[in-house]
Structures are given as C-alpha cells and as structure tokens.
Amino acid sequence: MGHHPLLKHHLASIDTPQREPRPYDQTVSVNGASCVIPAGSQSCTLNPNVTFTSGRGYIPYPVYVRNGSGSLTQHATYLYTYWDFNPPVINSAVWDASTKTAAVRVIDSDRINNWQIGMWDTRDIGVDAIDEKGGRIPLKLKKSYDESYNTKNREFTTTGIPDGKYTLEAVSVDTYGNTARKVISQIVI
C-alpha cells in the first residue's frame, strides 16, 4: 500500500471505511473502482487506481457506498491524496569564516499560502561538516527566520566542531522526503 493520507507514489489498495454490518451486500466505489462488502461484514479492499509520478498536488476522491439494489447511495467520506516529488531549492549557501557561520536560504515553491500551508513544506534544514573519512557532524543552529511563507533562512555555527578539514554541505528535506544538497565550502577548523 502507498502512503495514505500522504501519498508518495502509488496507492495499490485501500481498506474501505468501516461500515455497520448490514443484512445485504454493500458496494463501495472510489475513482471508478469498487468492491463489495458482503452481507454481515464491515469492509472490503479495493484498488482506487491512484498513481502520481511528478509534481505535487492534492485530490480528495469521493467515496460512495450503495446497497445491493442500488436504490440507496451515500457519500461516505473521501480518499484524501497528497503527493510531492519536487525537492526544495537551496537558493543560497554561504560560509563566513570571520563569524564561523554558514548561512542557508531555502525556497520551497510547492508551499502555498492558504489552508494547505502545512501540506507542502520544508521542515528540515541543516548543515553538515563532513570530515575526510566521510563522517558527518551536524552544525548547531544559531539563527532561524522565515523570510516569507515559502522561503526560510538558517544560520549554523561550527563552534564545538573538533579541529580538522571539512566540507560543509547544506541539506534540506521537505515533508515528503525530497532532499536537496549543496556543498558550501571546504574549511579548516
């Protein structure tokens, strides 16, 4: 099964909402697919034919339940689908040797300024100091502010990092796991 309600790639099957057992068959339909809840049972499983491979979006597919004869139909709920395949963009990543800070600016163009603001977001922004053996040490956050609803700024300090030669890399991850990386600088502490 795919990620529900935060659908990432493909939804192969869903268990229908629990229904009160009835003395007759009930048919559940969503997005052109259907399954039958046998008399006395509470649910069935169906493939809703939902696949996304690019972009980002939200579609609430209505779920209908009808009795065996089709004389009664109820709009029971929705199959809520959300997806995102677009990584955030690290617009700027700068090392300031005089203050020992790395400044990162991230733009997530998928984020929208309405009731869906939390559905597409960049939640994790960080900078790693990568040593010569490939070991990663996360830098400490020094300052954090949001420039706008889809643009975030973070500053990190190398204070507390052991002496050595490092590559600084900015990493940004959105709510769907899409990741952006950008090498900032080679530094010696």
Side-chain angles (χ1 to χ4, degrees), residues 19 22-29 35-37 64-74:
R19 307 293 302 162
R22 303 285 186 221
Y24 51 84
D25 290 348
Q26 300 176 81
T27 301
V28 178
S29 302
C35 64
V36 174
I37 301 173
Y64 297 97
V65 179
R66 68 179 186 274
N67 65 356
S69 68
S71 61
L72 296 173
T73 300
Q74 176 192 23

Side-chain angles (χ1 to χ4, degrees), residues 103-182:
V104 179
R105 183 175 189 250
V106 176
I107 299 173
D108 194 335
S109 296
D110 290 330
R111 194 160 198 231
I112 51 181
N113 196 17
N114 66 18
W115 65 273
Q116 296 174 314
I117 195 162
M119 292 180 189
W120 300 280
D121 194 7
T122 300
R123 298 253 169 99
D124 297 320
I125 300 170
V127 173
D128 290 338
I130 306 168
D131 65 27
E132 294 178 296
K133 295 179 182 178
R136 289 180 172 267
I137 302 170
L139 273 61
K140 293 178 186 174
L141 181 65
K142 181 178 178 182
K143 185 177 181 183
S144 173
Y145 64 97
D146 293 353
E147 187 176 318
S148 69
Y149 70 91
N150 69 346
T151 305
K152 298 182 179 194
N153 293 279
R154 305 291 183 265
E155 288 184 17
F156 300 87
T157 180
T158 57
T159 301
I161 302 294
D163 291 347
K165 185 177 179 180
Y166 297 94
T167 299
L168 294 182
E169 182 183 54
V171 180
S172 178
V173 183
D174 71 14
T175 51
Y176 292 81
N178 300 305
T179 303
R181 296 178 181 279
K182 187 171 191 173

